[in-house]
Amino acid sequence: MDLSLIIMQLLSGIALGAVLVITALGLTIVFGMLGVVNFAHGALFMIGAYAGLYLASLTGSFWWGLLLAPILIGAFGMLIEFVLIRRLYGRSIDDPLLLTFGLSYVLVEGVRIVFGSDGIPFPTPPQLVGVLDLGIGFFPRYRLFVIALVAVVLLVLWLTLEKTRVGLIVRAGARDPTIMQVLGVDIGRVWLAIFGLGVGLAALGGVLAGPMRSVNPEMGSLVLAEAFVVTVIGGLGSIVGAVVAGLMVGISISLVALFAPEMATIVMFALMAVVLLIRPQGLFGVRGRTA
Amino acid sequence: MTHPSSGEALAKPAPGGLGRLLDHRVLLSIAVLAILPWLLPSKALAVNVLIYGVVVMGYNLLFGYTGLLSFGQAAFFGAGAYFTGIAIGRYGVPWFAAVALAVFLSTCLAALIGIISTRTRGIYFSMVTLALAQLVYYVALQASSFTGGENGLRGFTVDRISLFGLQVNFLDPVNKYYVLMAFAALAMWFQSRILNSPFGAVIEAIRENEQRARACGYDVERSKLVVFMLSGAISSLGGCMLALHLSIVPLDILHYQTSGMIVMMVLLGGARSFFGPFVGAASFLILEDVISLWTPHWQIFVGAIFVLFVLFLPKGIWGTLLDTLGIGKARR
């Protein structure tokens, strides 16, 4: 096997992993702050892809879809938190999970009613069509763009969380919401924003994945399982974990596909099983909370 | 040594005349199931209530009684069905031996998944069980020479079965119903025995307070693993029933949507109650039947109704009914 082929496949894996990172990040941030596992995350990823497609065709430009879909779906996520999930704080931890699971049924079926059950092709934006010569081989421009954009989003998120006052409040709120309230922070508003951010990231993942996969109502259920595997490997609630595990899963899927294509879908689950046997709390998880 | 658990308290009949009825929950449940085909609009619906009732009952042992919210029960439902179908169709095993073999193999599968997933807690457990069950789904999809892959398992028929030398025409829906009901009755008896045993008290203690159960000296990890296997065994029996009933096994049975459906059913009926799973299976299937008559998009209504149940009726139909009647507070 030729080395440059392996390197190209590695890059493909990073592009695939980048979408997984963005999606799993939304799941993990919401859990870390709110203690809620959003089972509708996959459905919202799928809706994000549809919204991106629809907005792109409405405005005639992919870039508007990429910008507006996460904002719009993020706002929709805030509505979900405000109307439904807020009622469940303080009840059993299973309740938000069950509620969002029921919600995913409603969302997926709603999309089927509006857009039909068949997949719709998501055209690659014209500026990013084709391949780029990297010296050792040709790589799709779009995938390079996805890697770059995810890197920028991660950098902005990290700077916001670590260097700003908002980030300070968010991090403190995750540790001890009661004290934050005593200090005069409206923690309900922080939770609302965090849920919106998580859903917005799911939608962003959906738009980015659009041109790489076909867009259909079922695409969310596969993504949900993938995002779960990534968060479980990385450690639930850990942002670094989501990044490392997302790339790990993407790369292993990609490399295994090269040698044993039929094992490609299975490898991430095997990876998860091995990690759990060694570290039940995940690579960067905090012991006590989950294992 | 006196057990600090609620074992003694649980064994006491609940106060009141109605409460005493719960001492005979297995017989009462069987009686209801015996007349079910004549209460429901179709025999096919009744058979489905029976099958899903058993699957959900097995799941309730895990979710309702032990408090472990698994999202992977479809793996055992599907395993029971696939193993039965493969044993009959490929190896010509007699149907009852195939069922026994299928339940045994499914329990082994539950042990494997349980060893990994019971190492985790809380919401993590839900995510891990879902992921591992998806792994089973993909394995079944890939091993198409055994499972038929995407097309599902076909090519085995159960038309005539022998019962103690008696030939029963399995194509007759009423015969089929009562043969399958015997399985359901067996599963109910088994589950009731588990719940009444000291082990049953231990798993409820784990649900109420895991730390305390551990402090009391119970081996929490091993109990979780054992209950995971027992739950898988009972649910897989439902899968065997489905294979006998349909003579095919669709791949969808292993999909996580099926796990979700099992979770929905247990919540609609009422987790923590003995008969709730059958009520839940019946209400879900009737709901599906009725709504799909006037729209193909029945799932949007089922999802919305489920959300309303989580918000306003978390004890489900049967659980809320028992509460309203004031019975079964101590024992369900």
Side-chain angles (χ1 to χ4, degrees):
Chain A
M1 188 130 319
D2 164 16
L3 186 69
S4 66
L5 185 65
I6 294 179
I7 294 174
M8 296 319 278
Q9 202 70 13
L10 202 72
L11 263 178
S12 273
I14 294 174
L16 181 68
V19 173
L20 280 177
V21 167
I22 281 294
T23 312
L25 208 57
L27 202 65
T28 229
I29 288 177
V30 169
F31 174 78
M33 275 295 292
L34 281 65
V36 168
V37 168
N38 180 11
F39 249 66
H41 204 70
L44 290 159
F45 172 95
M46 177 270 295
I47 289 185
Y50 271 97
L53 189 62
Y54 181 74
L55 290 167
S57 71
L58 206 67
T59 57
S61 156
F62 169 79
W63 307 104
W64 282 114
L66 184 66
L67 181 72
L68 293 178
I71 295 173
L72 211 69
I73 305 302
F76 178 57
M78 288 164 91
L79 186 74
I80 293 172
E81 200 271 352
F82 192 71
V83 176
L84 295 170
I85 297 179
R86 181 152 293 196
R87 299 162 181 273
L88 297 175
Y89 295 138
R91 270 169 62 171
S92 145
I93 53 161
D94 295 339
D95 284 4
L97 190 159
L98 292 167
L99 182 125
T100 46
F101 173 72
L103 186 66
S104 73
Y105 263 65
V106 177
L107 296 177
V108 170
E109 209 54 49
V111 167
R112 281 207 190 100
I113 293 173
V114 178
F115 293 98
S117 296
D118 297 328
I120 305 175
F122 195 135
T124 310
Q127 299 89 331
L128 297 172
V129 173
V131 290
L132 199 69
D133 190 355
L134 293 182
I136 46 165
F138 296 95
F139 196 74
R141 283 169 194 270
Y142 182 75
R143 294 191 175 210
L144 283 179
F145 162 74
V146 168
I147 296 173
L149 184 84
V150 169
V152 171
V153 171
L154 285 179
L155 189 70
V156 170
L157 258 177
W158 180 76
L159 286 175
T160 314
L161 280 176
E162 293 293 322
K163 307 285 177 200
T164 67
R165 194 180 142 73
V166 178
L168 188 70
I169 292 172
V170 167
R171 279 181 292 136
R175 284 266 180 90
D176 196 333
T178 321
I179 289 291
M180 290 312 285
Q181 227 148 2
V182 170
L183 292 174
V185 174
D186 184 354
I187 203 75
R189 254 170 56 197
V190 177
W191 286 346
L192 185 70
I194 288 293
F195 199 84
L197 173 68
V199 171
L201 285 170
L204 178 62
V207 184
L208 287 177
M212 296 200 272
R213 318 176 178 199
S214 131
V215 177
N216 62 67
E218 277 78 37
M219 67 192 290
S221 64
L222 178 65
V223 169
L224 184 70
E226 287 173 352
F228 276 6
V229 168
V230 169
T231 35
V232 165
I233 291 178
L236 198 52
S238 162
I239 294 176
V240 182
V243 176
V244 172
L247 291 176
M248 227 164 94
V249 167
I251 291 169
S252 29
I253 290 176
S254 214
L255 287 185
V256 170
L258 199 59
F259 301 104
E262 70 281 356
M263 299 298 284
T265 40
I266 297 174
V267 65
M268 61 174 168
F269 298 108
L271 199 66
M272 182 188 78
V274 172
V275 169
L276 281 177
L277 284 172
I278 301 165
R279 269 181 79 87
Q281 71 273 38
L283 296 178
F284 297 86
V286 182
R287 203 172 175 87
R289 192 165 197 175
T290 49
Chain B
M1 165 186 164
T2 51
H3 284 277
S5 76
S6 46
E8 290 303 311
L10 287 172
K12 272 185 213 142
L18 279 169
R20 206 151 296 142
L21 281 176
L22 294 180
D23 286 347
H24 309 287
R25 56 186 177 187
V26 175
L27 289 177
L28 280 174
S29 305
I30 293 173
V32 173
L33 291 187
I35 55 168
L36 195 65
W38 281 271
L39 296 177
L40 293 176
S42 78
K43 305 276 182 291
L45 184 62
V47 169
N48 277 329
V49 172
L50 211 54
I51 291 169
Y52 284 98
V54 169
V55 176
V56 177
M57 184 177 74
Y59 178 65
N60 195 25
L61 194 60
L62 198 62
F63 174 57
Y65 290 99
T66 322
L68 297 173
L69 176 53
S70 161
F71 249 89
Q73 202 71 3
F76 314 120
F77 181 27
Y82 269 107
F83 285 135
T84 306
I86 292 171
I88 295 175
R90 189 177 248 259
Y91 299 104
V93 178
W95 69 276
F96 46 87
V99 168
L101 188 69
V103 171
F104 172 73
L105 291 174
S106 306
T107 311
C108 295
L109 178 69
L112 273 178
I113 293 183
I115 285 170
I116 299 171
S117 58
T118 54
R119 292 167 66 89
T120 62
R121 281 218 315 261
I123 302 176
Y124 221 56
F125 176 78
S126 311
M127 299 167 78
V128 171
T129 45
L130 180 137
L132 289 173
Q134 280 301 93
L135 170 63
V136 174
Y137 172 87
Y138 286 116
V139 168
L141 183 66
Q142 296 292 348
S144 50
S145 56
F146 274 95
T147 59
E150 226 171 314
N151 300 320
L153 189 65
R154 279 152 211 279
F156 67 98
T157 46
V158 188
D159 49 359
R160 199 155 279 286
I161 61 175
S162 57
L163 272 178
F164 312 111
L166 210 71
Q167 291 291 315
V168 178
N169 178 8
F170 207 61
L171 295 179
D172 177 68
V174 174
N175 286 353
K176 186 192 273 179
Y177 183 85
Y178 285 107
V179 171
L180 293 181
M181 200 190 93
F183 284 118
L186 182 76
M188 285 177 160
W189 171 79
F190 184 56
Q191 175 122 322
S192 190
R193 284 300 299 266
I194 296 170
L195 292 174
N196 279 342
S197 71
F199 179 73
V202 173
I203 58 173
E204 291 202 61
I206 291 173
R207 179 192 63 209
E208 293 306 324
N209 191 334
E210 196 176 313
Q211 299 297 327
R212 195 159 149 195
R214 189 173 286 116
C216 288
Y218 295 115
D219 190 339
V220 170
E221 275 65 39
R222 213 180 57 187
S223 304
K224 278 186 183 175
L225 179 59
V226 170
V227 82
F228 196 87
M229 288 164 64
L230 289 171
S231 161
I234 294 172
S235 288
S236 76
L237 184 68
C240 302
M241 290 158 68
L242 183 95
L244 296 178
H245 166 51
L246 290 180
S247 287
I248 57 160
V249 182
L251 179 66
D252 280 357
I253 193 179
L254 282 171
H255 198 264
Y256 97 91
Q257 298 274 353
T258 308
S259 296
M261 193 168 81
I262 295 168
V263 174
M264 285 189 175
M265 284 175 172
V266 81
L267 237 105
L268 285 182
R272 285 190 68 178
S273 66
F274 189 74
F275 196 61
F278 286 89
V279 177
S283 17
F284 186 96
L285 293 168
I286 292 171
L287 212 60
E288 179 187 336
D289 260 25
V290 171
I291 300 174
S292 59
L293 277 182
W294 52 275
T295 167
H297 301 290
W298 57 274
Q299 291 195 348
I300 199 168
F301 294 95
V302 169
I305 289 167
F306 180 74
V307 167
L308 292 176
F309 264 73
V310 174
L311 282 174
F312 303 112
L313 215 61
K315 286 185 172 173
I317 298 169
W318 191 246
T320 307
L321 189 74
L322 288 183
D323 269 8
T324 312
L325 293 175
I327 55 175
K329 281 254 189 272
R331 181 185 178 196
R332 294 276 160 81

